[in-house]
């Protein structure tokens, strides 16, 4: 399932693509516990859900945070509890019933919307969220947050948490690829021999190797 600007969101089912939400297709994910449950966003965080593989659609009202998030609004599913989802607009918001109701789990007002959000796959109490170049994390599910930004000033374009270590994080930005292995106490520029370009994503390989894939313009690197 994926979204694209001006072309809505499409889902591939048995070799056939179904366009089930219009407008600008943004972040989307298929429920890891039920392939018929799909969530997707349109521009500024309008959130939609299907429980039948994209055949029908229901809009989700998220009352916290006003009407609009970032152009691409971060939206994530909890890695341990499938009915728990998160969306970040002015703050980070959490629903434990698939979008039926929401609570606010941050108090980090920056005067603009959150750009990136990531929940640690191995521990859902560890959540990382960024506003421009400011990176925050919580280790208690949102009760307390600390700023752990690296020492550069470029906007954070992507956050990924290691599959088995919630303190190990990689960031992608126009300044390169940065990694911490101690929850943000120290950051290392691991760009090394990568081209001097903007990177829009960096993701750990989930195969026990701790390898990293980085995507930029142009190219994908490992």
């Amino acid at each position: 399932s994926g979204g694209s600007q001006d072309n809505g969101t499409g889902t591939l089912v048995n070799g056939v693509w179904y366009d089930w939400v219009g407008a600008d297709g943004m972040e989307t994910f298929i429920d890891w516990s039920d392939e018929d449950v799909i969530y997707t966003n349109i521009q500024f965080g309008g959130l939609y859900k299907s429980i039948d593989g994209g055949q029908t659609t229901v809009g989700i009202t998220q009352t916290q945070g006003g009407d609009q998030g970032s152009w691409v609004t971060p939206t994530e599913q909890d890695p341990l509890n499938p009915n728990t989802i998160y969306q970040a607009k002015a703050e980070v918001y959490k629903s434990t019933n698939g979008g039926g109701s929401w609570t606010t789990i941050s108090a980090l007002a920056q005067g603009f919307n959150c750009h990136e959000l990531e929940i640690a796959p191995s521990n859902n109490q560890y959540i990382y969220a960024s506003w421009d170049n400011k990176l925050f994390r919580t280790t208690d599910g949102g009760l307390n947050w600390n700023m752990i930004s690296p020492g550069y000033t470029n906007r954070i374009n992507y956050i990924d948490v290691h599959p088995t270590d919630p303190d190990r994080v990689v960031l992608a930005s126009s300044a390169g690829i940065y990694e911490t292995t101690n929850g943000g106490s120290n950051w290392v520029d691991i760009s090394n021999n990568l081209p001097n370009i903007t990177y829009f994503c960096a993701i750990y390989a989930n195969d026990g190797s701790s390898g990293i894939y980085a995507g930029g313009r142009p190219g994908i690197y490992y």
Side-chain angles (χ1 to χ4, degrees), residues 2-174:
S4 57
Q5 187 170 338
D6 299 323
N7 288 283
T9 298
T11 299
L12 183 66
V13 181
N14 296 323
V16 178
W17 281 97
Y18 295 91
D19 294 325
W20 60 285
V21 176
D24 294 299
M26 299 297 182
E27 289 201 349
T28 183
F29 61 82
I30 298 171
D31 187 323
W32 54 260
S33 70
D34 185 347
E35 64 183 13
D36 286 328
V37 178
I38 312 171
Y39 296 86
T40 193
N41 286 282
I42 62 171
Q43 66 275 15
F44 302 120
L47 188 57
Y48 294 85
K49 179 180 181 180
S50 175
I51 60 173
D52 55 13
Q55 300 302 305
T56 60
T57 306
V58 176
I60 294 177
T61 300
Q62 199 245 64
T63 56
Q64 281 80 8
D67 294 330
Q68 291 194 345
S70 295
W71 175 247
V72 181
T73 296
T75 308
E76 299 286 338
Q77 184 181 24
D78 191 278
L80 303 178
N81 301 313
N83 287 326
T84 296
I85 61 173
Y86 306 82
Q87 190 175 58
K89 293 182 177 178
E91 298 287 354
V92 180
Y93 310 105
K94 176 181 179 180
S95 171
T96 59
N97 54 10
S101 59
W102 296 84
T103 58
T104 306
I105 62 168
S106 71
L108 302 169
Q110 301 297 310
F112 50 91
N113 287 313
C114 178
H115 294 131
E116 297 295 324
L117 176 70
E118 185 73 10
I119 298 91
S122 61
N123 188 332
N124 61 2
Q125 298 300 291
Y126 284 65
I127 303 172
Y128 295 81
S130 67
W131 283 255
D132 198 34
N133 65 330
K134 296 179 180 179
L135 178 65
F136 298 85
R137 88 159 182 167
T138 176
T139 60
D140 54 19
L143 294 176
N144 298 280
W145 293 81
N146 295 298
M147 189 164 70
I148 59 165
S149 305
Y152 65 86
T153 58
N154 298 70
R155 173 174 165 172
I156 296 167
N157 292 327
Y158 205 89
I159 306 168
D160 195 49
V161 184
H162 190 277
T164 61
D165 185 351
D167 286 316
R168 188 169 183 177
V169 181
V170 64
L171 303 179
S173 76
S174 58

